[in-house]
Amino acid sequence: MDQEVYSKERSASLDLLLRFQRLLVSKLYPADCVGQVPNTYSPDLLGVGSLLKKYTALLCTHIGDILPVATSIACTSHRHFAEVSRVVDGDLTGILLPELVVSIVLLLSKNAGLMQEAGAIPLLAGLLEHLDRFNHLAPGKERDDNEDLAWPGIMGSFFTGQSCRNNEEVTLIRKADLENHNKDGGFWTVIDGKVYDIKDFQTQSLTGSSIL
């Protein structure tokens, strides 16, 4: 309901499509049916599933035509990317697609057999390459990717028996700690906010400690 505040900014046709999409999802959402035979679906339910497939196919065709054009314009500069993103966010790609994906995942978790019977999920897979190309133009993408890649390492510390508090105490090094360590003969240095121990490299380096 919070999103309905922005309905006035949408076109009437886009608002109608969103309501139609929600109606399809609500019709497919399983009710508590007592005595129903598993994996047997009424003709009406299969009809709604077929309608969802046709709707998804039309939506994916439109988005598949829009995204390559959006990507070709957005790659010009960060300003172009910001403007294109604003336009795409207010189009079918930004309004209908995210909610449709979440809804289909929800329906799949509730009734996988019916969703496989409907056949709408493979159609969405065709958009992955277009979406990936567009998202790769986003500023800060490398930083986000690095954070994603670092996540398994964070999780790994929990499986090795370290608590979260111990993990923080090990990884957080104050400036005074670094200075005291180096006074005692250590060789820690800070690069981009991370502390590195280059003591072993110091003995192998031909440039001398002053340059390091």
Side-chain angles (χ1 to χ4, degrees):
M1 294 302 295
D2 294 339
Q3 298 297 327
E4 295 304 317
V5 178
Y6 305 100
S7 62
K8 295 181 180 179
E9 301 177 4
R10 294 194 297 259
S11 65
S13 58
L14 189 56
D15 194 64
L16 184 63
L17 281 173
L18 182 59
R19 292 175 181 273
F20 175 71
Q21 177 176 295
R22 291 174 176 175
L23 179 63
L24 285 177
V25 173
S26 66
K27 293 294 184 182
L28 288 171
Y29 195 84
D32 295 331
C33 299
V34 179
Q36 182 177 351
V37 181
N39 299 326
T40 58
Y41 312 108
S42 66
D44 292 342
L45 200 59
L46 292 175
V48 176
S50 177
L51 195 57
L52 177 66
K53 181 180 180 180
K54 293 179 181 178
Y55 169 81
T56 304
L58 291 172
L59 183 64
C60 290
T61 299
H62 172 78
I63 296 176
D65 292 337
I66 291 294
L67 281 179
V69 179
T71 301
S72 65
I73 299 174
C75 68
T76 308
S77 67
H78 289 330
R79 184 176 64 84
H80 284 81
F81 178 83
E83 287 297 317
V84 171
S85 297
R86 184 182 60 81
V87 174
V88 170
D89 193 50
D91 187 48
L92 304 183
T93 309
I95 295 177
L96 299 181
L97 182 62
E99 188 171 314
L100 178 64
V101 171
V102 173
S103 299
I104 287 182
V105 170
L106 177 64
L107 290 172
L108 185 64
S109 67
K110 294 291 184 179
N111 197 332
L114 178 59
M115 292 309 298
Q116 291 175 356
E117 191 78 23
I121 298 175
L123 299 173
L124 292 170
L127 295 178
L128 291 178
E129 185 176 349
H130 296 304
L131 290 168
D132 193 50
R133 287 178 180 173
F134 184 78
N135 288 333
H136 268 70
L137 300 176
K141 185 268 299 179
E142 291 83 3
R143 182 187 68 247
D144 294 339
D145 285 350
N146 290 335
E147 290 176 355
D148 290 341
L149 290 174
W151 181 249
I154 296 174
M155 292 300 295
S157 66
F158 292 100
F159 291 110
T160 56
Q162 287 183 320
S163 65
C164 183
R165 177 176 299 178
N166 290 335
N167 189 47
E168 290 177 358
E169 290 173 356
V170 170
T171 57
L172 179 61
I173 299 176
R174 297 170 299 176
K175 182 179 179 181
D177 297 331
L178 183 141
E179 292 174 348
N180 291 332
H181 178 82
N182 289 347
K183 286 179 181 178
D184 294 336
F187 208 150
W188 286 355
T189 186
V190 180
I191 304 174
D192 293 335
K194 292 183 174 64
V195 178
Y196 294 88
D197 188 352
I198 58 174
K199 181 70 174 178
D200 293 338
F201 183 75
Q202 178 190 11
T203 59
Q204 302 172 8
S205 174
L206 301 177
T207 59
S209 300
S210 60
I211 296 179
L212 287 176

